[in-house]
C-alpha cells in the first residue's frame, strides 16, 4: 500500500513533491493538444509560460544556499542535462519512427534531424518543428540551465546591494525584458502580431531566458521573506499573529493572480494560433505567475490554489508527467495509425485531423500514462542511478548513491514534468547530505559549501 505524505509545502517542497503545479500545466497541455478535449483558446500558451517561470523558481529554491563552482557545476550539469537530454533523445527517436511511417519510408531532411538532436534547430528556425514537437521546451530551457550558475550570482549580487526592493525591481525588469518586445511589436504593427513572429517569441530559446530568471528572482525574494518571518516569530511571540496575517495576505495574492489568469483564459476572444494579440499570452502573465509562486510559498504553503495542487492525487499523477509530456505525440500518432489500419475506431474528425473519438481518446490517455510509467520505472530508473554515479565521480561529491531511489514514493518526489531535473538532485541531497529546509536559511548568512 502506498503512503503519501501530507506536507503543507508539497507543491514546492522538493523532498515531497513540487510537481502538482507543473503537473497541472503539463496535463492541461497534453489534453489541449487534442483539440477536441478543451475549447480552442489561449490557455495552453499560459501553461508553458507558467512552467518556465516555475522551473526557474524551483531551481533557485533548491540551490540558493549552495555554491555552484568547479566540480559542483559539473555535477549540476550532469544531473540536470544528462537525464533531460537522454530521455528527450529517446522521445525524438520515437517521433522519427512515427515520421518515417507517415512519410512511407521517405527519408526526412538529415540536416534538420541533426539540428533537432543537437537542440539547435529552434535557434536556426523555430517554425520548423522537430519530429517530436514537444521537445522544443527542453531546447528552450537548456540555455537557462547552462547559465543558472551565473544567474544565481547575479541575483545574489542584486539582493546584497538592495535587499528585497532590488529583487522586486529586478523581477519587474525581467518581465519587461520578456514581454516588452512583443508589446512593442504589437503596437507598431497596428495591434497585430503574425503567426511567425508569435512562434519566434515563444519557441526561440532566448525568448525564455528572462522568464526563467524571473522565477529565480522570485524564489530569492520568497526565501528572504520566509527567513525574516521565521526569525521574527522565534524572537518575539507577539509577532506570530501579524505574521499569520501576512501569510494570509500572500495566499490571497496567489489566489487572486490565478483567478485573473483563469478568467482571462476563459473569457478572452481567440484570434487564432499565435497571431493577432494572442501571442501576448506567451509572456504577458509572467509577473502574475511569479506573484502566485511568491504568495503560495508563504508560511509553508498558503492559498486555496496551493492547497488544491498539493493534493495527493495531483502529487501522484505528477510522478510521470515529464514522460507523459514527451511521449504524448508518438503514442497519439500510433493510436491514429492503428485506428486507420484496423478500422476499429477513428481518432480523426471529418477533415482528417485531431481527435474525434472520445472513447479512443480515453484509451489513448490511459495508455500514455501506462507507457510513461513503464519507461520511468524500468528504463529511466537505471539512467538515474548511472547519472548519480557519474555525478559523484566529479571529485567534490562526498555523498553515496542512494539506494531504492526510484520507488513509487520517490517518483512522486521526483515529479514535475520537465522540472523533473531539480527533483532528482533534491532527493539525493535530502537522503545523503542535508535536507532543504521548509523555511530557508537567513539570506544574509553565507551559503553552505557542503
Amino acid at each position: 500500500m502506498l503512503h503519501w505524505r501530507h506536507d503543507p509545502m508539497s507543491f514546492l517542497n522538493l523532498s515531497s513533491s513540487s510537481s502538482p503545479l507543473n503537473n497541472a500545466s503539463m496535463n492541461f497541455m497534453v489534453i489541449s493538444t487534442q483539440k477536441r478535449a478543451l475549447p480552442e483558446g489561449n490557455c495552453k500558451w499560459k501553461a508553458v509560460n507558467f512552467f518556465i517561470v516555475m522551473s526557474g523558481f524551483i531551481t533557485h529554491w533548491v540551490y540558493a544556499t549552495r555554491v555552484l563552482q568547479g566540480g559542483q557545476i559539473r555535477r549540476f550539469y550532469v544531473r540536470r542535462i544528462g537525464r533531460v537530454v537522454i530521455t528527450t533523445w529517446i522521445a525524438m527517436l520515437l517521433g522519427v519512427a512515427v515520421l518515417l511511417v507517415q512519410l512511407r519510408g521517405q527519408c526526412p531532411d538529415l540536416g534538420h534531424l541533426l539540428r533537432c538532436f543537437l537542440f539547435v534547430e529552434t535557434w536556426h528556425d523555430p517554425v520548423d518543428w522537430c519530429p517530436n514537437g514537444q521537445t522544443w521546451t527542453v531546447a528552450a530551457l537548456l540555455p537557462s540551465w547552462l547559465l543558472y550558475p551565473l544567474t544565481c550570482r547575479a541575483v545574489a549580487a542584486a539582493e546584497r546591494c538592495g535587499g528585497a526592493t532590488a529583487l522586486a525591481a529586478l523581477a519587474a525588469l525581467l518581465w519587461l525584458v520578456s514581454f516588452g518586445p512583443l508589446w512593442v511589436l504589437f503596437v507598431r504593427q497596428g495591434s497585430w502580431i503574425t503567426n511567425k513572429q508569435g512562434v519566434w517569441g515563444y519557441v526561440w530559446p532566448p525568448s525564455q531566458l528572462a522568464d526563467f530568471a524571473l522565477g529565480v528572482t522570485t524564489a530569492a525574494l520568497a526565501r528572504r521573506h520566509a527567513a525574516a518571518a521565521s526569525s521574527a516569530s522565534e524572537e518575539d511571540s507577539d509577532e506570530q499573529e501579524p505574521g499569520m496575517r501576512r501569510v494570509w495576505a500572500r495566499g490571497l495574492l496567489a489566489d487572486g493572480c490565478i483567478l485573473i489568469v483563469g478568467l482571462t483564459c476563459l473569457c478572452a476572444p481567440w484570434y487564432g494560433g499565435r497571431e493577432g494579440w494572442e501571442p501576448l499570452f506567451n509572456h504577458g502573465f509572467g509577473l502574475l505567475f511569479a506573484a502566485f509562486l511568491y504568495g503560495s510559498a508563504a508560511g509553508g504553503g498558503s492559498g486555496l490554489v496551493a492547497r488544491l495542487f498539493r493534493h495527493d492525487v495531483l502529487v501522484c499523477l505528477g510522478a510521470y508527467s515529464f514522460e507523459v509530456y514527451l511521449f504524448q505525440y508518438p503514442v497519439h500518432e500510433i493510436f491514429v495509425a492503428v485506428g486507420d489500419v484496423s478500422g476499429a475506431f477513428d481518432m480523426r474528425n471529418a477533415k482528417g485531423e485531431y481527435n474525434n473519438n472520445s472513447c479512443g481518446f480515453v484509451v489513448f490517455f490511459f495508455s500514455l500514462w501506462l507507457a510513461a510509467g513503464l519507461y520511468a520505472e524500468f528504463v529511466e530508473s537505471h539512467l538515474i542511478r548511472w547519472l548519480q554515479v557519474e555525478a559523484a565521480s566529479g571529485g567534490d561529491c562526498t555523498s553515496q548513491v542512494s539506494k531504492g531511489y526510484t520507488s513509487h514514493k520517490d517518483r512522486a518526489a521526483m515529479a514535475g514534468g520537465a522540472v523533473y531535473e531539480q527533483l532528482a538532485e533534491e532527493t539525493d541531497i535530502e537522503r545523503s547530505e542535508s535536507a532543504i529546509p521548509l523555511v530557508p536559511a537567513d539570506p544574509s548568512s553565507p551559503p553552505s559549501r557542503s
Side-chain angles (χ1 to χ4, degrees), residues 20-39:
L21 297 180
N22 181 65
N23 177 68
S25 65
M26 290 299 100
N27 290 349
F28 180 63
M29 291 165 64
V30 169
I31 296 174
S32 63
T33 303
Q34 322 308 325
K35 304 288 186 175
R36 292 293 297 268
L38 287 176

Side-chain angles (χ1 to χ4, degrees), residues 94-95 97-99 101-102 327-342 345 347-348 364 367 371:
L94 291 175
V98 168
L99 182 63
V101 173
Q102 292 174 336
F327 295 152
Q328 59 172 299
Y329 167 74
V331 172
H332 181 266
E333 292 305 302
I334 290 172
F335 265 74
V336 172
V338 170
D340 291 346
V341 172
S342 66
F345 58 88
M347 294 285 287
R348 301 176 181 272
F364 149 73
S367 299

Side-chain angles (χ1 to χ4, degrees), residues 276-416:
W277 59 272
E278 191 265 350
L280 297 178
F281 287 103
N282 295 347
H283 302 283
F285 287 91
L287 205 58
L288 286 174
F289 289 138
F292 164 70
L293 292 169
Y294 166 78
S296 296
S302 62
L304 296 177
V305 176
R307 293 176 186 174
L308 171 64
F309 284 162
R310 70 171 180 247
H311 192 279
D312 288 353
V313 172
L314 293 178
V315 172
C316 298
L317 286 175
Y320 307 123
S321 56
F322 166 58
E323 294 81 6
V324 166
Y325 177 68
L326 284 183
F327 295 152
Q328 59 172 299
Y329 167 74
V331 172
H332 181 266
E333 292 305 302
I334 290 172
F335 265 74
V336 172
V338 170
D340 291 346
V341 172
S342 66
F345 58 88
D346 184 11
M347 294 285 287
R348 301 176 181 272
N349 60 18
K351 296 181 180 179
E353 57 185 2
Y354 307 139
N355 178 58
N356 191 40
N357 185 302
S358 57
C359 294
F361 176 77
V362 170
V363 175
F364 149 73
F365 190 76
F366 282 106
S367 299
L368 172 62
W369 282 91
L370 177 62
L374 291 173
Y375 169 81
E377 296 293 343
F378 297 104
V379 178
E380 198 173 32
S381 60
H382 298 287
L383 171 62
I384 292 169
R385 288 196 180 100
W386 176 70
L387 289 174
Q388 284 178 320
V389 173
E390 288 297 312
S393 66
D396 70 325
C397 178
T398 59
S399 65
Q400 300 295 319
V401 176
S402 302
K403 303 296 183 181
Y405 175 71
T406 52
S407 67
H408 287 285
K409 187 175 180 180
D410 291 333
R411 285 296 307 175
M414 291 161 48

